Amino acid sequence: MVEVVKRIGLMGGTFNPIHNGHLVTAEEARVQFALDEVIFIPSGKPPHKSERKIADAHHRAMMTLLATVTNPYFHVSQVEIERPGYSYTYDTVSYFQELYQGQAEIYFITGADAILEIIAWKNVEQLFEKCCFIAATRPGFDLSAIRSSDLPQSAKDRIFYMEIPALAISSTDVRRRIREGRPIKYLMPSAVETYIYKNKLYLK
Ligand code: ATP
Ligand code: MG
């Protein structure tokens, strides 16, 4: 029997809220790297963001679902939300390796800023044995900090770069706009915008 290895993109994030920067990045990665699907994984409450206002996990998961439902290649996993405590990327990637019984090549999609945080982690070499990374950069992004890090060359070879149009959208800016009564239209799918207002999210 011929073994069919699937190419799976994982897109982790707080998604507080999800916006078009996330969606453009995931779609570009899917096409450039011929991924069979991209799975969005909203995080549980990450400790490093705990001081900031984070909407309840069920709201973030619902907005992620609303944002991705029209793309047949996009899916949402609740694995990090359902797991107690903070989820490490290593555990999440291991979960999907097991789910696909080793019959998947996993590509973890992140912004290049997030790659810098990841390569500073402990046990990062084990993580690179489990998956590759696709780092979204903006045109002109300086890669020297990644290239000059002490990450072994074998791991560096597993980071692929993808330039995406300069989308200066961030969840932080979206939340600030809502607090200040400024528009968020066209920064995210309209169903997400409606959901935010309907549930009075991010007003303070
Ligand atoms: P916050 O402003 O609260 O940090 P964020 O907009 O960075 O939120 P996250 O949920 O933290 O969103 O990001 C999830 C992933 O998406 C991270 O890997 C991040 O680097 C990436 N990302 C976020 N915004 C963009 C964007 N505009 N273009 C490309 N990648 C992005
Ligand atoms: Mg961020």
Side-chain angles (χ1 to χ4, degrees):
M1 203 174 85
V2 182
E3 286 183 354
V4 183
V5 174
K6 275 192 149 191
R7 298 166 64 81
I8 306 292
L10 300 182
M11 177 95 192
T14 321
F15 303 129
N16 185 42
I18 193 165
H19 54 68
N20 286 345
H22 300 130
L23 297 166
V24 168
T25 301
E27 180 66 0
E28 189 65 25
R30 182 184 74 76
V31 173
Q32 275 196 35
F33 294 87
L35 304 176
D36 294 297
E37 54 189 275
V38 177
I39 304 171
F40 287 70
I41 312 164
S43 63
K45 285 203 173 183
H48 61 282
K49 284 191 174 178
S50 54
E51 342 71 88
R52 280 194 255 155
K53 173 114 178 91
I54 300 193
D56 282 350
H58 79 273
H59 282 315
R60 293 184 290 110
M62 189 58 83
M63 291 187 282
T64 306
L65 199 64
L66 288 171
T68 53
V69 75
T70 53
N71 187 320
Y73 302 101
F74 286 0
H75 302 277
V76 180
S77 165
Q78 306 249 24
V79 63
E80 291 199 0
I81 285 176
E82 284 167 1
R83 210 190 273 146
Y86 175 69
S87 294
Y88 292 91
T89 300
Y90 182 84
D91 298 331
T92 301
V93 171
S94 302
Y95 167 86
F96 283 99
Q97 288 285 14
E98 277 164 38
L99 192 70
Y100 289 96
Q101 299 178 323
Q103 298 304 298
E105 265 173 41
I106 304 228
Y107 291 80
F108 201 90
I109 307 163
T110 70
D113 53 330
I115 280 277
L116 280 175
E117 287 173 29
I118 289 167
I119 62 181
W121 290 345
K122 286 193 298 192
N123 303 333
V124 68
E125 287 163 39
Q126 282 159 283
L127 176 61
F128 274 88
E129 282 165 18
K130 294 225 171 230
C131 69
C132 298
F133 283 82
I134 299 173
T137 66
R138 294 171 193 192
F141 182 87
D142 182 10
L143 296 173
S144 57
I146 299 174
R147 298 221 160 100
S148 65
S149 75
D150 348 312
L151 204 62
Q153 191 58 42
S154 58
K156 284 182 188 168
D157 291 343
R158 284 167 73 80
I159 306 177
F160 301 100
Y161 298 93
M162 170 182 75
E163 222 174 67
I164 58 155
L167 270 170
I169 307 176
S170 70
S171 302
T172 303
D173 180 58
V174 168
R175 294 191 302 271
R176 188 183 309 125
R177 285 171 166 272
I178 295 165
R179 276 199 311 277
E180 295 174 355
R182 289 154 62 211
I184 55 170
K185 200 182 265 304
Y186 310 124
L187 297 177
M188 67 196 68
S190 61
V192 177
E193 181 195 358
T194 304
Y195 185 93
I196 289 173
Y197 291 133
K198 193 167 160 183
N199 291 282
K200 303 185 170 58
L201 302 181
Y202 308 119
L203 289 172
K204 47 183 187 288

